[in-house]
């Protein structure tokens, strides 16, 4: 009879063969998954605030037209009065402050805006806009105004809430943090989605976490390009990354040009008895200045800025941010109405044009209502993605608690030939985007510390002395 071999042996068990090292995407995927997970969990609250306030801001343009219809529109008359008479009517109604700019009525049914600075009770960086009927010179009201797009109180409040939560300069850190991480989270989500070949997978017929993941991924793929755009354009006027971008553009000769406001000629500094420097009636006056600008091809809408002092010129600039963009500007000598400098938008450097268009598209003015609807859809998509993301985390814990985090040590699976260039690239990005680099460094420090604590506790539980 054959005897079966014994199942016991005095020989030591042979160690299992080591797993083959991962290369390429297989080594990077766990790292990207961990980054996407933690960035989504920790940065999502900031993104949610930015998305909700951005949604409100995109809708504020149309709301503004309804709320301030009396100030913004007038019945169409036969002939518009000279701009100087309209400004005089505004100054009679509101003599306080000084005229900082005038926007003549750009359309047949639109009022003229006379902007006054230094008015008591008006916030810093804001002006008081006086609205004048261009046909009768009747003042239809006055409202506080902010920014180059002429935002009135409703839109201004939402704009400042979106930008800095009404906390001033410190509050801008929240929006820059959101913009610095939005593209990172979007890129990570795209990489994970396409790596699993789920881009074309149907959501219908699935349930639970799989369904939530399908919805999250599908909407994220379609909205990703919009998120990249919002992130890039949002950073262009942020506090820290924006300053770096401006310096880079200047060093490349791509800064936005501006018209010289210095009055030229032998009459510079003398002006006219018609008014004093800084007054809208200074020198040749508004009517001749506007005529000179029209002769240079500056069509509506335009803004006239009076001379700041006796050595300055009038500046007339187009302020149409919609398509096609009109941003030409001229300087006009107040002594004789002669054009002393001209800047054409067509001659802007490429990066200056792209920056202008990018900001206007981000703020919803480049393509008007269609632009604003697209922004609202993007904001709604981001809100849904955040909600689905947190729901997946909950479902990962089987509906009883938030799910466990992604395991540590993902970076150890990345080969050195990939890890070293990756770390170098992240360091460069962190320099140019400090609110990406600093939070990432803080996260890594905390993660390493928690990992070390967990490791030491594990050694104690097995009775191993801790060095």
């Amino acid at each position: 009879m054959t005897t079966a071999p014994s199942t016991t042996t005095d020989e030591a068990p042979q160690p299992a063969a080591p797993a083959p090292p991962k290369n390429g995407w297989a080594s990077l995927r766990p790292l990207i998954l961990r980054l996407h997970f933690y960035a989504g969990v920790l940065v999502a609250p900031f993104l949610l605030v930015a998305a909700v306030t951005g949604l409100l801001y995109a809708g504020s343009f149309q709301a503004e037209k309804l709320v301030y219809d009396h100030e913004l529109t007038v019945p169409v008359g036969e002939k518009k009065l000279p701009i100087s008479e309209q400004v005089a009517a505004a100054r009679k109604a509101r003599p306080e402050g000084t005229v900082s700019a005038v926007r003549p009525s750009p359309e047949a049914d639109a009022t003229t805006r006379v902007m006054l600075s230094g008015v008591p009770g008006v916030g810093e960086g804001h002006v008081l806009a006086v609205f004048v009927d261009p046909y009768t010179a009747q003042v239809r009201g006055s409202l506080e105004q902010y920014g180059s797009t002429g935002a009135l109180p409703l839109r201004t409040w939402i704009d400042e809430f979106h930008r800095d939560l009404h906390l001033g300069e410190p509050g801008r850190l929240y929006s820059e943090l959101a913009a610095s991480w939005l593209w990172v989270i979007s890129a990570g989500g795209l990489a994970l989605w396409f790596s699993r070949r789920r881009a074309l997978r149907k959501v219908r017929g699935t349930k639970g976490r799989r369904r939530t993941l399908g919805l999250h991924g599908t909407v994220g793929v379609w909205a990703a390009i919009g998120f990249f755009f919002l992130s890039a354009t949002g950073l262009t006027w942020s506090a820290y990354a924006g300053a770096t971008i401006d310096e880079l553009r200047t060093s490349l000769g791509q800064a936005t040009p501006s018209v010289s406001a210095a009055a030229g000629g032998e009459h510079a500094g003398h002006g006219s008895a018609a008014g004093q420097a800084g007054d809208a009636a200074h020198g040749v006056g508004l009517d001749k200045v506007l005529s000179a600008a029209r002769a240079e091809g500056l069509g509506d809408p335009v803004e006239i800025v009076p001379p700041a002092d006796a050595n300055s010129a009038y500046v007339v600039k187009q302020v149409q941010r919609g398509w096609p963009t009109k941003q030409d500007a001229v300087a006009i000598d107040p002594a004789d109405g002669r054009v002393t400098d001209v800047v054409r938008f067509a001659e802007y450097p490429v990066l200056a044009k792209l920056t202008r268009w990018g900001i206007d598209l981000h703020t919803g003015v480049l393509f008007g209502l269609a632009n604003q609807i697209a922004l609202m859809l993007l904001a709604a998509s981001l809100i849904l993605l955040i909600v689905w993301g947190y729901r997946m985390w909950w479902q990962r814990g089987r509906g009883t608690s938030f799910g466990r985090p992604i395991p540590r040590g993902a970076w150890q699976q990345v080969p050195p030939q990939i890890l070293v260039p990756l770390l170098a690239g992240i360091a460069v990005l962190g320099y140019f985007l400090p609110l990406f680099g600093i939070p990432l460094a803080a996260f890594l420090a905390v993660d390493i510390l928690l990992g070390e604590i967990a490791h030491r506790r594990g050694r104690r539980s097995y009775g191993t002395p801790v060095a």
Side-chain angles (χ1 to χ4, degrees):
M1 184 174 66
T2 305
T3 305
S6 173
T7 57
T8 61
T9 178
D10 293 334
E11 297 179 1
Q14 296 297 319
K22 296 181 179 180
N23 292 309
W25 172 251
S27 65
L28 282 174
R29 190 179 190 281
L31 185 63
I32 294 176
L33 179 61
R34 184 167 170 78
L35 178 63
H36 184 73
F37 172 79
Y38 274 108
V41 169
L42 300 175
V43 181
F46 299 96
L47 290 174
L48 184 61
V49 173
V52 172
T53 56
L55 178 65
L56 293 174
Y57 181 76
S60 67
F61 287 88
Q62 303 305 316
E64 187 176 68
K65 294 178 181 178
L66 296 174
V67 174
Y68 305 116
D69 178 72
H70 177 75
E71 289 83 2
L72 294 173
T73 61
V74 295
V76 178
E78 295 182 0
K79 184 179 180 181
K80 293 181 179 180
L81 298 172
I83 192 66
S84 57
E85 292 186 27
Q86 300 177 50
V87 174
R91 296 299 284 147
K92 183 177 180 181
R94 302 300 300 258
E96 66 271 34
T98 58
V99 178
S100 58
V102 180
R103 292 191 177 185
S105 167
E107 299 170 351
D109 64 343
T111 52
T112 290
R113 295 194 194 192
V114 180
M115 278 79 86
L116 306 178
S117 60
V119 177
V122 175
E124 184 180 357
H126 295 204
V127 296
L128 183 70
V130 182
F131 299 85
V132 183
D133 186 327
Y135 302 101
T136 64
Q138 176 188 2
V139 174
R140 295 179 65 85
S142 57
L143 295 167
E144 195 166 325
Q145 176 180 303
Y146 171 76
S148 58
T149 61
L152 299 178
L154 174 63
R155 183 154 59 95
T156 297
W157 192 92
I158 298 174
D159 177 27
E160 293 178 346
F161 189 31
H162 176 66
R163 187 175 64 252
D164 59 21
L165 303 178
H166 292 285
L167 298 175
E169 285 299 314
R172 293 182 65 186
L173 298 179
Y174 114 85
S175 57
E176 185 169 351
L177 175 68
S180 298
W181 279 91
L182 177 57
W183 70 272
V184 177
I185 298 172
S186 299
L190 278 178
L192 294 171
W193 184 254
F194 282 105
S195 72
R196 297 290 291 270
R197 302 185 183 279
R198 287 184 173 134
L200 301 178
R201 194 187 70 179
K202 294 182 179 180
V203 176
R204 186 179 302 175
T206 59
K207 60 182 180 180
R209 186 172 181 273
R210 184 176 293 274
R211 177 175 176 80
T212 307
L213 178 60
L215 291 169
H216 181 87
T218 301
V219 173
V221 166
W222 285 104
I225 294 178
F227 294 155
F228 288 138
F229 165 79
L230 290 177
S231 180
T233 53
L235 288 171
T236 57
W237 74 90
S238 60
Y240 296 104
T244 303
I245 292 171
D246 286 342
E247 291 176 4
L248 180 61
R249 285 176 51 207
T250 301
S251 66
L252 296 174
Q254 296 288 309
T256 301
S258 59
V259 69
S260 173
E266 60 181 354
H267 301 291
H270 294 288
S272 167
Q276 300 298 316
D279 191 340
H282 177 55
V284 296
L286 291 173
D287 297 322
K288 290 186 177 180
V289 166
L290 184 57
S291 295
R294 300 294 193 206
E296 286 291 330
L298 272 69
D300 286 324
V302 297
E303 178 178 284
I304 309 169
V305 180
D309 52 45
N311 295 312
S312 299
Y314 282 93
V315 172
V316 184
K317 51 188 177 183
Q318 292 178 306
V319 291
Q320 178 170 307
R321 298 290 181 80
W323 189 266
T325 301
K326 295 180 180 178
Q327 294 286 294
D328 292 355
V330 297
I332 298 172
D333 194 320
D336 53 17
R338 181 171 50 87
V339 174
T340 58
D341 192 23
V342 179
V343 172
R344 303 290 183 186
F345 183 73
E347 299 171 356
Y348 275 28
V350 173
L351 290 184
K353 287 182 178 178
L354 291 177
T355 300
R356 176 75 276 149
W357 289 328
I359 292 175
D360 293 339
L361 196 58
H362 185 112
T363 54
V365 299
L366 188 60
F367 297 112
L369 181 59
N371 193 166
Q372 294 149 25
I373 292 174
L375 289 174
M376 286 189 280
L377 290 175
L378 274 177
S381 298
L382 184 54
I383 293 170
L384 288 174
L385 288 170
I386 292 170
V387 172
W388 285 328
Y390 278 116
R391 179 168 174 76
M392 281 191 294
W393 188 21
W394 176 265
Q395 290 172 325
R396 198 163 186 257
R398 302 185 184 279
T400 58
S401 62
F402 282 113
R404 62 190 183 280
I406 305 299
R408 293 186 176 91
W411 65 272
Q412 297 174 347
Q413 303 178 33
V414 183
Q417 64 269 27
I418 297 178
L419 183 62
V420 172
L422 181 64
L423 292 177
I426 291 175
V428 172
L429 277 175
Y431 173 78
F432 286 103
L433 305 177
L435 289 187
F436 162 72
I438 294 173
L440 180 60
F443 161 70
L444 290 175
V446 172
D447 194 50
I448 291 171
L449 177 62
L450 293 177
E452 181 63 22
I453 292 174
H455 177 65
R456 288 175 178 267
R457 285 178 177 174
R459 292 175 65 184
R460 286 195 186 99
S461 67
Y462 286 99
T464 305
V466 177

